Amino acid sequence: MIEAKSVTKKFHNETAVRNINITVKRGSIYGLLGSNGAGKTTLLKMMAGIYRPETGTISIEDVPVFENVFIKKKVCYIPDTLYFFPQNTIAQMAEYYQNIYSEWDASRFNTLKRVFQIDTDRKIHKLSKGMQRQVAFWLALSCMPSVLILDEPIDGLDPVMRQKIKNVLFQDVADREMTVIISSHNLREIEDICDHIGIMHQGELIVEKELDDLKADTHKIQVAFKSELQEKHIVDQLEVVHQEKRGSVSVLIVKGEESNIKRIVRSEKPFVFDILPLTLEEMFIYEMGEVGYEIENILL
Amino acid sequence: MFELDPRNRKPIYEQLMEKIKELILAEVLTVDEKLPSVRMLSKELTINPNTIQKAYRELEREGYLYSANRKGYFVAPIELHADKKVNELKTQFQHLLREAVYLGVTKEQIAQWFDEIEKGEEKSD
């Protein structure tokens, strides 16, 4: 379990993370989303024990992480910009990891060779960006971590490799209750992987929820009524976050329970009434809109 | 054994629940049959194991499955889910009925359809 309690981190005068509380349950896969510069990477680096928070505490399994060798042996962090020693081959790098991570599993490393299929005698710096990312996963998953922290991990991986890596991750989650925290902008991918979601904006956590609850709570509805008055009537009764009109059909983004929304809308006998599921991408855009980070189409 | 549609926007656990219900109602999965373990299904479908766990737990709550401690999930006896089947049909039926009412179909017509079915002559009009 990862727990952050009222954590703040500043760089000079810049507050990167502001009073954040977050809990990631053991065995869960947590997706951290947010606008650019929201403080995701800073938060992840604090979880990995790289940065020391100014105020508040970050603990893994109830022990503070910063400078804690015992806990850090169980944590693997794949940063957005990878680092390997210059001139090292995969085998050499693996040897280095083996000396650091006491849980290193050599047979796991060999089994994963079948997944990644890269010759271990190749120099990592001569590999492509995507292949370097594969090596990072290969090494991290051989360390048998209890916590895996991934910053923008999908970047540069081809669809086949993504699927393979996802599969391996899921097996580790199912078998060993590994906890995974992922930051990404690829919402389609996050939607498939995660069970919990946190959305950050300007250093703060604005939403934290189980993904399915978030989905069950926001709906996109299409309605058409005989008169404007009827529409106004239902809009007044519902918690509408967004409204759009396409001809005589209105598209509303509504929060609340599905059955309740159905009841209210049907009471006015609409011509057209459909409830459409929202994608995570749409939800993200509307949640961000609520805190004033909206899509404006600026005319050039 | 289960095929999920990646383009379907419904939450994956709901899709999974529907698939399993279908298989139970069609008696492809029979009473007391063991469902694949969370671990295996997660590996096979490349789905978050927590999602599968959630689907199984919900199905247990709805009475379609029962769990034996640590041995996994099994299909519950028929009596347990017979009512559910009727309820399920009711929602589907009501949905169609609502459309029919919109189109001006009368109660008498619907009653007539009912009689036709009972007599075994399935006519569309």
Side-chain angles (χ1 to χ4, degrees):
Chain A
M1 189 177 80
I2 312 173
E3 204 175 18
K5 278 190 197 144
S6 42
V7 167
T8 301
K9 176 75 192 167
K10 287 183 189 151
F11 295 105
H12 303 290
N13 294 325
E14 203 93 27
T15 310
V17 168
R18 203 184 306 257
N19 198 19
I20 276 192
N21 291 296
I22 209 172
T23 315
V24 184
K25 272 184 262 161
R26 189 187 160 94
S28 124
I29 305 180
Y30 191 106
L32 192 61
L33 317 175
S35 46
N36 289 128
K40 299 185 295 287
T41 299
T42 309
L43 182 64
L44 292 183
K45 282 191 175 172
M46 283 192 282
M47 285 179 175
I50 297 167
Y51 288 158
R52 188 210 305 261
E54 242 87 71
T55 56
T57 49
I58 291 211
S59 45
I60 292 179
E61 286 166 17
D62 296 320
V63 191
V65 226
F66 186 73
E67 302 263 286
N68 187 331
V69 178
F70 171 74
I71 265 307
K72 282 166 98 172
K73 279 187 176 172
K74 299 183 181 177
V75 179
C76 263
Y77 169 57
I78 302 186
D80 51 349
T81 331
L82 301 173
Y83 179 80
F84 300 102
F85 294 136
Q87 301 299 326
N88 265 24
T89 62
I90 297 172
Q92 284 168 325
M93 213 59 216
E95 212 182 298
Y96 176 77
Y97 269 67
Q98 189 168 9
N99 289 327
I100 297 213
Y101 285 96
S102 47
E103 296 292 310
W104 177 271
D105 189 335
S107 68
R108 167 61 82 87
F109 181 79
N110 284 326
T111 319
L112 287 175
K113 202 180 278 182
R114 291 220 308 271
V115 174
F116 298 108
Q117 297 175 348
I118 309 174
D119 181 1
T120 51
D121 288 328
R122 288 183 70 178
K123 285 192 174 163
I124 300 174
H125 276 89
K126 290 192 176 166
L127 300 175
S128 78
K129 179 185 169 192
M131 285 166 102
Q132 289 189 7
R133 217 158 252 287
Q134 291 178 32
V135 174
F137 269 105
W138 191 353
L139 295 171
L141 290 167
S142 304
C143 295
M144 309 298 274
S146 320
V147 173
L148 186 60
I149 301 171
L150 308 170
D151 196 354
E152 291 285 345
I154 302 148
D155 242 36
L157 294 174
D158 70 61
V160 174
M161 199 35 81
R162 277 183 212 179
Q163 200 69 9
K164 278 188 181 177
I165 290 178
K166 254 199 279 183
N167 199 290
V168 177
L169 281 183
F170 289 155
Q171 287 188 54
D172 261 353
V173 171
D175 289 352
R176 313 190 286 114
E177 287 201 301
M178 181 172 74
T179 310
V180 186
I181 175 154
I182 304 176
S183 88
S184 179
H185 289 290
N186 189 332
L187 301 186
R188 182 77 210 98
E189 207 71 41
I190 286 281
E191 199 170 355
D192 283 352
I193 301 177
C194 299
D195 41 73
H196 287 74
I197 294 287
I199 302 181
M200 283 180 78
H201 183 55
Q202 292 178 346
E204 286 172 63
L205 193 68
I206 54 171
V207 178
E208 187 181 28
K209 258 197 183 147
E210 206 170 310
L211 180 58
D212 294 323
D213 288 349
L214 194 65
K215 284 191 168 182
D217 200 45
T218 322
H219 310 273
K220 183 176 181 172
I221 62 172
Q222 261 185 342
V223 277
F225 291 103
K226 275 185 198 135
S227 77
E228 295 268 324
L229 210 66
Q230 283 174 311
E231 187 175 326
K232 199 182 163 303
H233 194 193
I234 69 137
V235 169
D236 287 344
Q237 288 180 71
L238 296 168
E239 197 192 336
V240 177
V241 263
H242 184 84
Q243 198 172 356
E244 235 175 84
K245 218 162 164 64
R246 293 176 194 147
S248 57
V249 179
S250 281
V251 178
L252 308 173
I253 307 294
V254 183
K255 286 203 168 180
E257 220 179 295
E258 189 176 333
S259 57
N260 205 20
I261 295 170
K262 275 187 183 161
R263 193 177 46 78
I264 292 172
V265 176
R266 287 221 176 96
S267 70
E268 290 290 337
K269 305 220 175 342
F271 280 137
V272 178
F273 176 40
D274 277 313
I275 293 201
L276 312 164
L278 273 173
T279 60
L280 185 57
E281 186 150 348
E282 286 171 304
M283 268 185 277
F284 179 79
I285 291 170
Y286 295 122
E287 291 287 347
M288 294 308 268
E290 275 182 68
V291 294
Y293 190 73
E294 278 176 286
I295 300 176
E296 285 171 82
N297 295 323
I298 294 169
L299 284 175
L300 294 176
Chain B
M1 119 183 251
F2 308 110
E3 265 320 308
L4 298 181
D5 178 5
R7 277 168 303 177
N8 192 326
R9 296 237 214 126
K10 267 195 191 152
I12 294 173
Y13 87 95
E14 269 182 34
Q15 285 188 51
L16 199 59
M17 280 175 71
E18 273 169 25
K19 270 277 138 61
I20 296 173
K21 275 185 200 172
E22 255 172 49
L23 292 177
I24 292 176
L25 296 181
E27 287 171 47
V28 176
L29 287 169
T30 52
V31 175
D32 293 330
E33 187 173 336
K34 188 179 183 304
L35 272 95
S37 71
V38 170
R39 188 180 173 278
M40 212 188 88
L41 206 55
S42 157
K43 189 177 152 187
E44 221 165 78
L45 302 175
T46 312
I47 292 179
N48 185 336
N50 296 314
T51 305
I52 295 168
Q53 186 68 48
K54 185 170 175 181
Y56 280 2
R57 245 193 342 251
E58 281 292 303
L59 285 168
E60 186 184 13
R61 208 177 49 82
E62 290 188 11
Y64 285 91
L65 303 179
Y66 67 91
S67 64
N69 43 0
R70 303 218 147 254
K71 278 189 196 131
Y73 287 86
F74 301 84
V75 178
I78 306 285
E79 311 91 69
L80 276 174
H81 50 73
D83 292 350
K84 307 276 176 195
K85 188 169 180 172
V86 173
N87 263 328
E88 197 109 315
L89 278 175
K90 188 178 159 191
T91 23
Q92 285 176 27
F93 185 63
Q94 280 176 329
H95 189 76
L96 285 174
L97 203 57
R98 198 167 291 124
E99 262 179 55
V101 172
Y102 270 132
L103 292 172
V105 175
T106 61
K107 224 177 187 171
E108 287 71 37
Q109 257 174 304
I110 292 166
Q112 202 185 325
W113 293 349
F114 186 90
D115 292 339
E116 280 168 18
I117 297 282
E118 258 195 337
K119 276 182 226 145
E121 40 177 296
E122 287 190 42
K123 268 195 230 156
S124 56
D125 52 15

